[in-house]
Amino acid sequence: MEDQARKLRELAQRIREERERANLIIDPVIKSDMVSIERSPIVKAPKPEVSQAPAPVITPPPADILSPQAAKNRVIAVSSGKGGVGKSSLVANLGIALAMRGRKVMILDADLGLANIDVLFGINPQYNLKHLIDGEKTIQEILVNGPHSLKIVPGGSGIPELANLSDQQQEKLIESFNKLEQDADISLIDTGAGISKDVISFILAAREAIVITTPEPTAITDAYGLIKVLTQRDSEVDIKVVVNMVSSESEGKEIAGRMAMATRQFLNKRIETLGFIVTDPMVIMSVRKQAPFVLEYPGSKAAKCVKQIASALDKENIERKPGAGRNGFRGFLSRLFER
């Protein structure tokens, strides 16, 4: 009895500690912490002038930005702590924004629960990853062409089967995607939300992740929970944060700063702030039209924010980030099958 009572007391203490940490992130009245955040160089957010953002860049950027040594075959998983925060919308629009900068982009729809990429693009894929796994179609036959030469790999019912492939099927799948290495500078993986085994496996295999959240307290705490699990599994995973549906630039910076402070203080993990997206009615309009807003409403506030995020992401030097996008999609699949 005494042993059980001791274990219950320890469990209660851990729960209290986690609640205190969550409150530290979501409580906006911690003025002293906010001062330290503003002074800390590791939590500086990008400073896009939303109202004065430049027009869409549709010509290839300078050679130093598009250098194959800088970002060849980069694989990035895009995830969130909870659903409904605009994850798939970010993947679709960010993919197009990167393609407009001259990148060759591929998107893999790996959201097992709510596969929305096809809906956002207004397409109806005839085949998906399962047809490739079963040997019914080739990788080229299941690919869907999107705007600006963007490529989409519909996951469909083939995603759950990735965990149960034979060695021969795994090698065949790796070889299939290896054929696309020349067709993709950047591959975006639209994972599910939360901390399920599948989501974590996809992110750790990619070695680079964008975690999206909103100002909603539950979204922030769930995003922190996802970052915590990832850090516990692999402290070297490269994590960036995007805050969606903010009312202003200052709100986006504040939330990103609190998250960066909390992860550094409690997880000993440095995360980067990639940017923010302001609340914009054009986003809902574009979803109804099944057309990405960076194309349908290129002058909208949300579109300008996404282009700023694409610019920040595109200018990073992958050579300086250990493990980020290592060996492209082939490496991603190899690590995925090892887990």
Side-chain angles (χ1 to χ4, degrees), residues 47-57 249 276 278 298-305 307-308:
K47 298 181 178 180
E49 296 293 338
V50 176
S51 61
Q52 301 177 7
V57 180
E249 176 181 353
F276 62 90
V278 296
S300 64
K301 294 179 180 179
K304 292 176 181 178
C305 289
K307 290 166 192 170
Q308 292 286 344

Side-chain angles (χ1 to χ4, degrees), residues 27 68 262 282:
D27 188 357
M282 296 300 100

Side-chain angles (χ1 to χ4, degrees), residues 56-246:
V57 180
I58 60 176
T59 56
D64 60 329
I65 296 180
L66 278 178
S67 169
Q69 298 300 321
K72 184 178 180 181
N73 303 328
R74 188 178 183 182
V75 179
I76 306 172
V78 184
S79 192
S80 59
K82 67 185 293 291
V85 298
K87 171 178 57 64
S88 295
S89 177
L90 174 64
V91 171
N93 287 278
L94 179 59
I96 294 175
L98 287 167
M100 293 171 75
R101 293 180 59 83
R103 289 296 183 189
K104 293 182 289 186
V105 182
M106 181 171 68
I107 293 176
L108 172 62
D109 191 353
D111 191 336
L112 306 184
L114 299 169
N116 290 326
I117 290 296
D118 55 341
V119 177
L120 293 171
F121 279 101
I123 59 177
N124 184 22
Q126 190 173 0
Y127 309 111
N128 57 46
L129 197 59
K130 179 173 173 55
H131 294 94
L132 175 63
I133 293 173
D134 293 343
E136 298 176 8
K137 297 294 177 182
T138 66
I139 185 66
Q140 294 293 343
E141 289 175 322
I142 71 169
L143 275 180
V144 178
N145 294 319
H148 290 269
S149 301
L150 180 145
K151 306 292 184 184
I152 302 168
V153 180
S157 57
I159 295 298
E161 294 191 15
L162 290 178
N164 303 308
L165 299 184
S166 64
D167 291 344
Q168 185 178 2
Q169 287 177 310
Q170 290 180 6
E171 186 59 31
K172 183 178 180 181
L173 192 64
I174 290 174
E175 290 302 323
S176 294
F177 276 96
N178 195 41
K179 297 176 182 177
L180 299 178
E181 290 291 336
Q182 300 302 318
D183 297 328
D185 295 322
I186 298 179
S187 297
L188 301 177
I189 314 296
D190 183 17
T191 77
I195 56 174
S196 69
K197 179 181 178 180
D198 291 324
V199 172
I200 299 302
S201 294
F202 272 108
I203 298 175
L204 295 180
R207 302 297 299 277
E208 184 175 5
I210 296 175
V211 175
I212 183 168
T213 185
T214 69
E216 182 185 342
T218 54
I220 296 173
T221 53
D222 287 348
Y224 173 81
L226 173 60
I227 294 171
K228 178 180 179 181
V229 172
L230 292 172
T231 302
Q232 290 174 338
R233 292 285 301 274
D234 183 356
S235 61
E236 297 300 319
V237 63
D238 184 0
I239 302 175
K240 302 172 181 62
V241 171
V242 170
V243 187
N244 192 21
M245 306 180 195
V246 299

